[in-house]
Amino acid sequence: MAFSIESRKKDIEALKNETVDVLIIGGGITGAGAALQASASGLKTCLVEMQDFSEGTSSRSTKLVHGGLRYLKNFDVEVVADTVQERAVVQGIAPHIPKPDPMILPIYDEANTTFSMFSLKVAMDLYDRLADVTGTKYANYTLTKEEVLKRQPQLKSEGLLGAGVYLDYRNNDARLVIENIKQAAEDGGRMLSRTKVVGITHDEEGRVSGAKVQDLLTGEMFTIKARTVLNTTGPWSDTIRQMDDKTETTPQMRPTKGVHLVVDKKRLSVEQPTYFDTGKQDGRMVFVIPREEKTYFGTTDTDYKGDLKNPKVEQEDVDYLLDIVNNRYPSVNITINDIEASWAGLRPLIATNSGSDYNGLSNQTISDESIDTVLSTVEQYQQGKVERYEVADVLKNIEKSNSETGTDPSSLSRGSSLEIDNDGLITVAGGKITDYRKMALGAIKMVIKILERDFNASYKLIDSASYSVSGGDMDPKKVDEETEKLAQMGVEKGLSPSEATYLANLYGTNTTKVYALLDEVEKIDGLTLADSISLHYAMREEMTLSPSDFMVRRTNHMLFMRDTLDEIIDPVISEMAKYYKWSDKDKNHYRRELEEAIAESDLKTLKGDVN
């Protein structure tokens, strides 16, 4: 059955009369990954999300599958090794989503910089070995000052020493979530968006037995019965645990807010993703990344205590980022009026587990003597004078002293935790997108262990490191070639080359399903043929229930296609109203919802452009 509003209705009716093996609360990337693994392993699985899938946090990242080069500043080798190895796994199971996109890291002659040219080269060489790209086309290299400025002429030349270039990956965060969700649904899972948990239920012995939920589309309340309950709600983790009146919990989350701003490529042109110190000596770094015909930059990293559902871009966020970007690119003079789109997201950081983050410095210091020892040993290894194990021994000794207890929001760990409360509620929290599969794996292993112990049920966990998400059934080593073949199929069916390429990159091997709609969907007045079939695929196969779902999370129209957004609003709303048989009241509701989202993204309030 297609993953649509019709399947949603049938799933809800079925859930009223069955008991699932695992109820997953939270439809971000961790919940989606857990749902895929559970469903594919044969568990009766249900996932509920109070908003659209990925709406809360997982569509609001920096949109990278970041390798964490900066961890090597403090020789956190194990962290980087785990990160780059897992990144390769994610690229293997979702090859149409993370794409290699080498990062340039300029080095300036400034106080308290993260790297010098020498330490950067050492870090990049070690990073390449950990990522197993030494000797490949993605191997790192350095650039002179002149080479950097030739590549990025708008970059500040004063104090520029050179740069390093190393492998990183761009990502479509919301697409990664929906492709996991779709695969879970295909494997039999019941995936419900806009379904809010209002209470945790318990059996006669006080064990968690499911949740009372509300269908936010209809207002109906019903109970989902479950043998295990898994809380994967990110910043809302404490909120769900505090709903559980059978156990006492101590809040563990310390969310921080990250903000990104989008401008036209003509205002700020960068050839490739760029990553540099802020220049403010505040221990932070900022990304400047090209996307479509736009450039976006961020991120901030500040403690957040406001509304978890709707973090906003504030004036101080804008001022901070514009000050940094205008300093690093002194000729651009970007103002708030140049900002075409924006987003604010929360990082589900765990307060008691601090450490270095890709945007923040660890406040753990390492002695000059230790640094000299490591650099000397690595240099000797490169010259063939010492063995690999000798380098590892030196690094391990550094790592042993690298326990961190700082409280600066920029130094909180992106590490995760997996806990089970005394009534059986399981919570996986923290972490980052790159680690989502491993976090989900740990959680589902715990679920299966409980099912075996308490319910005499036996399940064999799939190998999620080789189990593709929806749309990912292609050779990860031949993504470009296979994407080109898919695009060519679209051209042969009457799409323009640019339209076909866009669809192939967006949907991977599901592009053939999108093309199949050409036989039954006519071009919608006001939309391109590609957008016409994309919209129908989104409604029929991706549980797209509102215009905002389509504009923001199934596609990138709102963020990176702002120039053409206004002209497609009416046709998208009209077609969805026709498909879903909305009343005028419904139609006006969804229009207001979309207009509010656009106004927020446009920063209309901060610009004083509110009618």
Short mmCIF file of all heavy atoms in Angstrom, two decimals, residues 505-551:
data_model
loop_
_atom_site.label_atom_id
_atom_site.label_comp_id
_atom_site.label_asym_id
_atom_site.label_seq_id
_atom_site.Cartn_x
_atom_site.Cartn_y
_atom_site.Cartn_z
N ASN A 505 18.29 13.37 -8.51
CA ASN A 505 19.08 13.65 -7.31
C ASN A 505 18.21 13.65 -6.05
O ASN A 505 18.67 13.29 -4.97
CB ASN A 505 19.79 14.99 -7.44
CG ASN A 505 21.10 14.88 -8.21
OD1 ASN A 505 22.05 14.23 -7.76
ND2 ASN A 505 21.15 15.49 -9.38
N LEU A 506 16.95 14.04 -6.21
CA LEU A 506 16.06 14.13 -5.05
C LEU A 506 15.55 12.76 -4.61
O LEU A 506 15.48 12.48 -3.40
CB LEU A 506 14.88 15.04 -5.40
CG LEU A 506 14.03 15.57 -4.23
CD1 LEU A 506 14.86 16.48 -3.34
CD2 LEU A 506 12.81 16.32 -4.76
N TYR A 507 15.23 11.90 -5.55
CA TYR A 507 14.52 10.67 -5.23
C TYR A 507 15.33 9.39 -5.41
O TYR A 507 14.83 8.31 -5.06
CB TYR A 507 13.25 10.57 -6.07
CG TYR A 507 12.27 11.67 -5.79
CD1 TYR A 507 11.97 12.64 -6.75
CD2 TYR A 507 11.62 11.76 -4.56
CE1 TYR A 507 11.06 13.65 -6.50
CE2 TYR A 507 10.71 12.77 -4.29
CZ TYR A 507 10.43 13.72 -5.27
OH TYR A 507 9.53 14.72 -5.00
N GLY A 508 16.53 9.45 -5.95
CA GLY A 508 17.30 8.22 -6.14
C GLY A 508 16.55 7.23 -7.01
O GLY A 508 15.92 7.60 -8.00
N THR A 509 16.56 5.96 -6.62
CA THR A 509 15.92 4.94 -7.45
C THR A 509 14.39 5.03 -7.40
O THR A 509 13.72 4.38 -8.21
CB THR A 509 16.37 3.54 -7.04
OG1 THR A 509 16.21 3.37 -5.62
CG2 THR A 509 17.83 3.32 -7.40
N ASN A 510 13.84 5.81 -6.50
CA ASN A 510 12.39 6.05 -6.53
C ASN A 510 11.99 6.99 -7.66
O ASN A 510 10.79 7.20 -7.89
CB ASN A 510 11.92 6.65 -5.20
CG ASN A 510 11.81 5.61 -4.10
OD1 ASN A 510 11.50 4.45 -4.37
ND2 ASN A 510 12.07 6.01 -2.88
N THR A 511 12.97 7.55 -8.36
CA THR A 511 12.67 8.44 -9.48
C THR A 511 11.80 7.74 -10.52
O THR A 511 10.93 8.38 -11.15
CB THR A 511 13.97 8.95 -10.13
OG1 THR A 511 14.82 9.50 -9.12
CG2 THR A 511 13.67 10.04 -11.16
N THR A 512 11.97 6.45 -10.70
CA THR A 512 11.15 5.72 -11.67
C THR A 512 9.68 5.74 -11.27
O THR A 512 8.79 5.78 -12.12
CB THR A 512 11.63 4.27 -11.82
OG1 THR A 512 11.66 3.64 -10.53
CG2 THR A 512 13.04 4.22 -12.42
N LYS A 513 9.41 5.72 -9.97
CA LYS A 513 8.02 5.82 -9.49
C LYS A 513 7.45 7.21 -9.76
O LYS A 513 6.26 7.35 -10.07
CB LYS A 513 7.94 5.50 -8.00
CG LYS A 513 8.33 4.08 -7.63
CD LYS A 513 8.20 3.85 -6.13
CE LYS A 513 8.59 2.43 -5.75
NZ LYS A 513 8.47 2.19 -4.29
N VAL A 514 8.31 8.21 -9.65
CA VAL A 514 7.88 9.58 -9.93
C VAL A 514 7.57 9.71 -11.42
O VAL A 514 6.53 10.26 -11.82
CB VAL A 514 8.95 10.60 -9.50
CG1 VAL A 514 8.47 12.03 -9.77
CG2 VAL A 514 9.28 10.43 -8.01
N TYR A 515 8.45 9.17 -12.25
CA TYR A 515 8.23 9.22 -13.71
C TYR A 515 6.93 8.51 -14.11
O TYR A 515 6.27 8.91 -15.07
CB TYR A 515 9.39 8.55 -14.45
CG TYR A 515 10.70 9.28 -14.41
CD1 TYR A 515 11.90 8.61 -14.67
CD2 TYR A 515 10.78 10.65 -14.11
CE1 TYR A 515 13.12 9.27 -14.65
CE2 TYR A 515 12.00 11.31 -14.08
CZ TYR A 515 13.17 10.61 -14.35
OH TYR A 515 14.38 11.27 -14.33
N ALA A 516 6.59 7.44 -13.38
CA ALA A 516 5.39 6.68 -13.72
C ALA A 516 4.14 7.56 -13.65
O ALA A 516 3.14 7.30 -14.33
CB ALA A 516 5.25 5.48 -12.80
N LEU A 517 4.19 8.61 -12.86
CA LEU A 517 3.04 9.51 -12.73
C LEU A 517 2.82 10.37 -13.97
O LEU A 517 1.77 10.99 -14.12
CB LEU A 517 3.22 10.40 -11.50
CG LEU A 517 3.19 9.68 -10.15
CD1 LEU A 517 3.54 10.63 -9.02
CD2 LEU A 517 1.83 9.04 -9.90
N LEU A 518 3.83 10.41 -14.86
CA LEU A 518 3.66 11.17 -16.10
C LEU A 518 2.51 10.62 -16.93
O LEU A 518 1.91 11.35 -17.74
CB LEU A 518 4.96 11.13 -16.91
CG LEU A 518 6.14 11.94 -16.36
CD1 LEU A 518 7.42 11.56 -17.09
CD2 LEU A 518 5.87 13.44 -16.49
N ASP A 519 2.16 9.35 -16.73
CA ASP A 519 1.09 8.72 -17.51
C ASP A 519 -0.29 9.08 -16.98
O ASP A 519 -1.29 8.87 -17.67
CB ASP A 519 1.25 7.20 -17.50
CG ASP A 519 2.53 6.75 -18.18
OD1 ASP A 519 2.98 7.45 -19.11
OD2 ASP A 519 3.09 5.71 -17.77
N GLU A 520 -0.36 9.62 -15.75
CA GLU A 520 -1.68 9.90 -15.19
C GLU A 520 -1.85 11.30 -14.61
O GLU A 520 -2.97 11.70 -14.27
CB GLU A 520 -2.02 8.86 -14.12
CG GLU A 520 -0.96 8.73 -13.03
CD GLU A 520 -1.32 7.64 -12.01
OE1 GLU A 520 -2.31 7.85 -11.27
OE2 GLU A 520 -0.65 6.60 -11.99
N VAL A 521 -0.75 12.05 -14.47
CA VAL A 521 -0.83 13.40 -13.92
C VAL A 521 -0.53 14.41 -15.01
O VAL A 521 0.54 14.37 -15.62
CB VAL A 521 0.16 13.59 -12.74
CG1 VAL A 521 0.18 15.04 -12.28
CG2 VAL A 521 -0.20 12.66 -11.59
N GLU A 522 -1.46 15.30 -15.25
CA GLU A 522 -1.22 16.36 -16.22
C GLU A 522 -0.43 17.49 -15.58
O GLU A 522 -0.47 17.69 -14.37
CB GLU A 522 -2.56 16.90 -16.74
CG GLU A 522 -3.35 15.88 -17.54
CD GLU A 522 -4.62 16.49 -18.10
OE1 GLU A 522 -4.86 17.70 -17.87
OE2 GLU A 522 -5.38 15.75 -18.75
N LYS A 523 0.29 18.22 -16.40
CA LYS A 523 1.03 19.38 -15.90
C LYS A 523 0.04 20.34 -15.23
O LYS A 523 -0.98 20.70 -15.80
CB LYS A 523 1.77 20.08 -17.03
CG LYS A 523 2.55 21.31 -16.60
CD LYS A 523 3.23 21.96 -17.79
CE LYS A 523 3.94 23.25 -17.37
NZ LYS A 523 3.01 24.24 -16.81
N ILE A 524 0.35 20.73 -14.01
CA ILE A 524 -0.50 21.64 -13.25
C ILE A 524 -0.22 23.07 -13.68
O ILE A 524 0.95 23.48 -13.76
CB ILE A 524 -0.26 21.46 -11.74
CG1 ILE A 524 -0.56 20.02 -11.32
CG2 ILE A 524 -1.08 22.45 -10.93
CD1 ILE A 524 -0.04 19.66 -9.94
N ASP A 525 -1.25 23.81 -13.97
CA ASP A 525 -1.09 25.20 -14.38
C ASP A 525 -0.35 25.99 -13.30
O ASP A 525 -0.77 26.02 -12.14
CB ASP A 525 -2.47 25.84 -14.63
CG ASP A 525 -2.36 27.21 -15.27
OD1 ASP A 525 -1.38 27.45 -16.00
OD2 ASP A 525 -3.24 28.05 -15.03
N GLY A 526 0.78 26.58 -13.68
CA GLY A 526 1.58 27.35 -12.73
C GLY A 526 2.77 26.59 -12.17
O GLY A 526 3.62 27.18 -11.51
N LEU A 527 2.81 25.28 -12.44
CA LEU A 527 3.94 24.46 -12.00
C LEU A 527 4.65 23.87 -13.21
O LEU A 527 4.04 23.68 -14.26
CB LEU A 527 3.48 23.30 -11.09
CG LEU A 527 2.81 23.64 -9.76
CD1 LEU A 527 2.50 22.34 -9.01
CD2 LEU A 527 3.67 24.55 -8.91
N THR A 528 5.93 23.56 -13.03
CA THR A 528 6.63 22.82 -14.06
C THR A 528 6.11 21.38 -14.07
O THR A 528 5.45 20.93 -13.11
CB THR A 528 8.15 22.79 -13.81
OG1 THR A 528 8.40 22.06 -12.59
CG2 THR A 528 8.71 24.20 -13.70
N LEU A 529 6.41 20.65 -15.13
CA LEU A 529 6.01 19.25 -15.18
C LEU A 529 6.68 18.47 -14.06
O LEU A 529 6.06 17.60 -13.43
CB LEU A 529 6.38 18.67 -16.55
CG LEU A 529 5.95 17.22 -16.81
CD1 LEU A 529 4.45 17.04 -16.61
CD2 LEU A 529 6.35 16.80 -18.23
N ALA A 530 7.95 18.79 -13.78
CA ALA A 530 8.67 18.11 -12.70
C ALA A 530 8.01 18.36 -11.35
O ALA A 530 7.83 17.43 -10.54
CB ALA A 530 10.13 18.55 -12.68
N ASP A 531 7.65 19.60 -11.08
CA ASP A 531 7.00 19.91 -9.80
C ASP A 531 5.61 19.29 -9.73
O ASP A 531 5.14 18.92 -8.64
CB ASP A 531 6.91 21.43 -9.60
CG ASP A 531 8.22 22.03 -9.12
OD1 ASP A 531 9.06 21.28 -8.60
OD2 ASP A 531 8.39 23.27 -9.24
N SER A 532 4.95 19.17 -10.85
CA SER A 532 3.61 18.57 -10.87
C SER A 532 3.65 17.12 -10.42
O SER A 532 2.87 16.68 -9.55
CB SER A 532 3.00 18.67 -12.28
OG SER A 532 2.86 20.01 -12.69
N ILE A 533 4.57 16.34 -10.99
CA ILE A 533 4.64 14.93 -10.62
C ILE A 533 5.30 14.76 -9.25
O ILE A 533 4.97 13.83 -8.50
CB ILE A 533 5.35 14.08 -11.69
CG1 ILE A 533 6.76 14.60 -11.98
CG2 ILE A 533 4.52 14.04 -12.97
CD1 ILE A 533 7.53 13.72 -12.98
N SER A 534 6.20 15.67 -8.90
CA SER A 534 6.82 15.62 -7.59
C SER A 534 5.79 15.85 -6.49
O SER A 534 5.78 15.16 -5.46
CB SER A 534 7.93 16.68 -7.49
OG SER A 534 8.53 16.69 -6.22
N LEU A 535 4.89 16.81 -6.70
CA LEU A 535 3.85 17.08 -5.72
C LEU A 535 2.94 15.88 -5.55
O LEU A 535 2.60 15.48 -4.42
CB LEU A 535 3.04 18.31 -6.14
CG LEU A 535 1.83 18.66 -5.27
CD1 LEU A 535 2.25 18.92 -3.83
CD2 LEU A 535 1.09 19.88 -5.83
N HIS A 536 2.54 15.27 -6.65
CA HIS A 536 1.66 14.10 -6.54
C HIS A 536 2.37 12.92 -5.91
O HIS A 536 1.76 12.18 -5.11
CB HIS A 536 1.09 13.73 -7.92
CG HIS A 536 -0.19 14.43 -8.21
ND1 HIS A 536 -1.42 13.91 -7.88
CD2 HIS A 536 -0.43 15.65 -8.75
CE1 HIS A 536 -2.37 14.76 -8.22
NE2 HIS A 536 -1.80 15.82 -8.76
N TYR A 537 3.63 12.73 -6.22
CA TYR A 537 4.38 11.65 -5.56
C TYR A 537 4.46 11.92 -4.06
O TYR A 537 4.30 10.99 -3.24
CB TYR A 537 5.78 11.54 -6.15
CG TYR A 537 6.63 10.48 -5.49
CD1 TYR A 537 6.44 9.13 -5.77
CD2 TYR A 537 7.62 10.82 -4.57
CE1 TYR A 537 7.20 8.15 -5.16
CE2 TYR A 537 8.40 9.85 -3.96
CZ TYR A 537 8.18 8.52 -4.26
OH TYR A 537 8.95 7.54 -3.63
N ALA A 538 4.68 13.17 -3.69
CA ALA A 538 4.78 13.53 -2.28
C ALA A 538 3.48 13.23 -1.53
O ALA A 538 3.50 12.76 -0.39
CB ALA A 538 5.14 15.01 -2.14
N MET A 539 2.35 13.48 -2.18
CA MET A 539 1.06 13.21 -1.52
C MET A 539 0.73 11.72 -1.51
O MET A 539 0.21 11.20 -0.52
CB MET A 539 -0.05 13.98 -2.24
CG MET A 539 0.04 15.49 -2.07
SD MET A 539 -1.40 16.38 -2.71
CE MET A 539 -1.23 16.14 -4.49
N ARG A 540 1.06 11.03 -2.58
CA ARG A 540 0.67 9.62 -2.71
C ARG A 540 1.63 8.65 -2.03
O ARG A 540 1.23 7.56 -1.63
CB ARG A 540 0.58 9.25 -4.19
CG ARG A 540 -0.44 10.07 -4.95
CD ARG A 540 -0.47 9.66 -6.41
NE ARG A 540 -1.27 10.56 -7.23
CZ ARG A 540 -1.77 10.26 -8.42
NH1 ARG A 540 -1.53 9.07 -8.94
NH2 ARG A 540 -2.49 11.13 -9.09
N GLU A 541 2.91 9.04 -1.90
CA GLU A 541 3.92 8.10 -1.44
C GLU A 541 4.77 8.59 -0.27
O GLU A 541 5.58 7.83 0.27
CB GLU A 541 4.88 7.75 -2.59
CG GLU A 541 4.20 7.11 -3.80
CD GLU A 541 3.90 5.63 -3.59
OE1 GLU A 541 4.33 5.09 -2.56
OE2 GLU A 541 3.23 5.04 -4.46
N GLU A 542 4.59 9.86 0.15
CA GLU A 542 5.48 10.41 1.18
C GLU A 542 4.73 11.11 2.32
O GLU A 542 5.31 11.91 3.05
CB GLU A 542 6.49 11.39 0.55
CG GLU A 542 7.43 10.70 -0.42
CD GLU A 542 8.63 11.55 -0.80
OE1 GLU A 542 8.51 12.80 -0.82
OE2 GLU A 542 9.69 10.97 -1.07
N MET A 543 3.44 10.79 2.49
CA MET A 543 2.66 11.34 3.59
C MET A 543 2.82 12.85 3.71
O MET A 543 3.05 13.41 4.78
CB MET A 543 3.05 10.66 4.91
CG MET A 543 2.02 10.82 6.02
SD MET A 543 0.47 9.97 5.70
CE MET A 543 0.95 8.25 5.94
N THR A 544 2.71 13.54 2.57
CA THR A 544 2.79 15.00 2.55
C THR A 544 1.38 15.53 2.76
O THR A 544 0.53 15.42 1.87
CB THR A 544 3.37 15.48 1.22
OG1 THR A 544 4.69 14.92 1.10
CG2 THR A 544 3.46 16.99 1.15
N LEU A 545 1.12 16.11 3.92
CA LEU A 545 -0.24 16.46 4.32
C LEU A 545 -0.52 17.96 4.30
O LEU A 545 -1.66 18.37 4.52
CB LEU A 545 -0.53 15.90 5.71
CG LEU A 545 -0.34 14.38 5.85
CD1 LEU A 545 -0.58 13.94 7.29
CD2 LEU A 545 -1.26 13.63 4.91
N SER A 546 0.50 18.77 4.06
CA SER A 546 0.29 20.21 4.02
C SER A 546 1.26 20.83 3.01
O SER A 546 2.28 20.24 2.68
CB SER A 546 0.54 20.83 5.40
OG SER A 546 1.93 20.95 5.66
N PRO A 547 0.95 22.04 2.52
CA PRO A 547 1.87 22.72 1.62
C PRO A 547 3.25 22.93 2.24
O PRO A 547 4.27 22.84 1.55
CB PRO A 547 1.17 24.06 1.34
CG PRO A 547 -0.28 23.77 1.55
CD PRO A 547 -0.32 22.78 2.67
N SER A 548 3.29 23.18 3.55
CA SER A 548 4.59 23.38 4.20
C SER A 548 5.43 22.11 4.17
O SER A 548 6.66 22.16 4.00
CB SER A 548 4.40 23.84 5.65
OG SER A 548 3.82 25.12 5.71
N ASP A 549 4.77 20.96 4.33
CA ASP A 549 5.50 19.69 4.23
C ASP A 549 6.23 19.61 2.89
O ASP A 549 7.40 19.22 2.82
CB ASP A 549 4.54 18.51 4.32
CG ASP A 549 3.88 18.36 5.68
OD1 ASP A 549 4.25 19.09 6.61
OD2 ASP A 549 2.97 17.51 5.80
N PHE A 550 5.51 19.97 1.83
CA PHE A 550 6.09 19.88 0.48
C PHE A 550 7.17 20.92 0.25
O PHE A 550 8.26 20.61 -0.25
CB PHE A 550 4.98 20.02 -0.56
CG PHE A 550 5.48 19.94 -1.98
CD1 PHE A 550 5.95 18.74 -2.50
CD2 PHE A 550 5.47 21.05 -2.81
CE1 PHE A 550 6.42 18.65 -3.81
CE2 PHE A 550 5.92 20.98 -4.13
CZ PHE A 550 6.40 19.77 -4.62
N MET A 551 6.90 22.15 0.61
CA MET A 551 7.81 23.27 0.31
C MET A 551 9.10 23.23 1.13
O MET A 551 10.15 23.66 0.66
CB MET A 551 7.12 24.61 0.57
CG MET A 551 5.84 24.82 -0.18
SD MET A 551 6.13 25.18 -1.91
CE MET A 551 4.60 26.04 -2.30
#
